[in-house]
Amino acid sequence: MDFFVKHWKVNRSGMLMMLAFQLGLFLMGVVMVLGINIFLNDDQDYAAIGGMMALMATLFGGLVRGSGGMNRYRMAVSMGQTRRSYMLADPVVTVLNTVIGIAFAWLLNKFEIWLYGILYPGWELDLDVFGIMQWWYYPIFILAICILDFCFGALQIRFGNKGFAAVWFPLCFLPMLVNSSVEAAKEGGSSLLAQIGRGVAFLIGLLSPSAWLAALVAFLLGLIVLSVLCYRKAEIRA
C-alpha cells in the first residue's frame, strides 16, 4: 500500500496543474457568457458554459497526463519502484485525479449557476451538462481516461515522443472530424467530408450496437495487454 501513497505524493503536482487549468477554462467560459449577455443575448438565458469547459478540462487533463507517462515510469522505476507496482499505482492515481477533477468541475458549475442567478434576476438555465449526464456516464468517463492514460504512456515508451504525437494529435481532432462528416452526409452534400460521413454511417450499420460494444471491449483489452508488455519490457535509461 505504501507505493500507492508514494506514487500519489510524487505525482500530485499534475493534479494541481489540472485544477488550475480547469479554473482557467471556467473563468474563460464565464467571461464568454457575460459578454454574450451584454452584447448579443436579449433575454440573458444561457447555458453554464464555464462548468461545461471545466468538465472538458478534466478529459483534456487526463489525456495530457498520458503524454508524461514515459517520464513518470522511468522516474518511478529508477527510484526503486517495481514495474508491477507502477502499473498498479499509476492508474489508481489517474482515477483519483479524474474523480477530483469531476468534483471540482461540479462545484464550479454550481457556483456559476448561483452567480448568474444573482446577476440576472429571473435567469433560467438553458443547459446544465451535469443535469443531463446520468450516473453511469461517470464510471465510463473515468474508465476511458484511465485506459487512454495507461495506453498513451506505453505508446510513448515504445515509440518515443514523435510516435506518440503521431497518434495523439489525430485522436484529438477525430471526434470533431467524424461529427462534421456525419452532419455533412445528412445534408446530402457531395464533398469529401460528406463522403467520409457516408462511409462512417456504412461502417456503423455493419454491426449491431451490442456487436460494436463487444468489438470495442475486445479492442481495449488488446490495447491494455500490449501496453502491459511495453511497460514490462521497457528499457530504463538514466
Side-chain angles (χ1 to χ4, degrees):
M1 192 65 184
D2 289 342
F3 61 84
F4 283 105
V5 178
K6 291 179 181 178
H7 196 74
W8 165 261
K9 289 181 178 179
V10 171
N11 293 280
R12 62 187 173 186
S13 60
M15 180 198 66
L16 297 176
M17 291 177 61
M18 184 186 71
L19 295 178
F21 181 62
Q22 285 183 274
L23 182 60
L25 284 186
F26 168 77
L27 294 175
M28 183 186 301
V30 171
V31 170
M32 287 174 56
V33 172
L34 294 178
I36 290 172
N37 283 336
I38 291 174
F39 298 107
L40 300 176
N41 205 5
D42 294 332
D43 59 6
Q44 297 181 335
D45 292 340
Y46 212 69
I49 301 296
M52 293 173 61
M53 294 180 70
L55 183 61
M56 290 172 58
T58 307
L59 174 60
F60 187 75
L63 297 179
V64 170
R65 186 175 188 272
S67 67
M70 180 174 65
N71 293 332
R72 292 198 311 273
Y73 176 77
R74 288 177 175 171
M75 180 178 68
V77 176
S78 64
M79 292 176 63
Q81 189 173 355
T82 65
R83 288 170 166 81
R84 179 177 179 275
S85 65
Y86 175 86
M87 288 188 287
L88 292 174
D90 198 65
V92 172
V93 172
T94 302
V95 170
L96 288 174
N97 285 353
T98 307
V99 170
I100 292 173
I102 292 174
F104 187 53
W106 182 84
L107 289 174
L108 291 176
N109 186 70
K110 291 298 182 183
F111 172 76
E112 184 179 15
I113 294 172
W114 172 83
L115 177 65
Y116 296 155
I118 297 296
L119 294 177
Y120 310 114
W123 176 82
E124 294 183 3
L125 179 62
D126 284 349
L127 175 63
D128 181 7
V129 65
F130 286 94
I132 63 176
M133 290 182 66
Q134 301 183 40
W135 69 267
W136 52 269
Y137 285 20
Y138 296 102
I140 295 176
F141 186 79
I142 295 169
L143 182 62
I145 292 179
C146 186
I147 293 175
L148 287 173
D149 179 85
F150 186 76
C151 294
F152 278 160
L155 179 68
Q156 192 179 31
I157 289 172
R158 178 63 180 83
F159 297 103
N161 291 326
K162 292 182 179 179
F164 171 81
V167 174
W168 192 83
F169 284 108
L171 282 178
C172 290
F173 296 99
L174 183 62
M176 185 185 305
L177 174 63
V178 172
N179 181 68
S180 299
S181 64
V182 170
E183 290 297 326
K186 289 180 179 178
E187 295 174 359
S190 58
S191 63
L192 176 61
L193 195 62
Q195 294 178 25
I196 293 174
R198 282 189 282 271
V200 170
F202 173 76
L203 290 175
I204 293 176
L206 289 177
L207 298 175
S208 65
S210 58
W212 274 117
L213 179 60
L216 176 61
V217 171
F219 176 73
L220 292 177
L221 289 175
L223 280 182
I224 293 172
V225 171
L226 290 175
S227 298
V228 169
L229 293 176
C230 287
Y231 282 115
R232 294 187 64 179
K233 297 181 178 179
E235 178 184 356
I236 305 302
R237 303 172 185 173

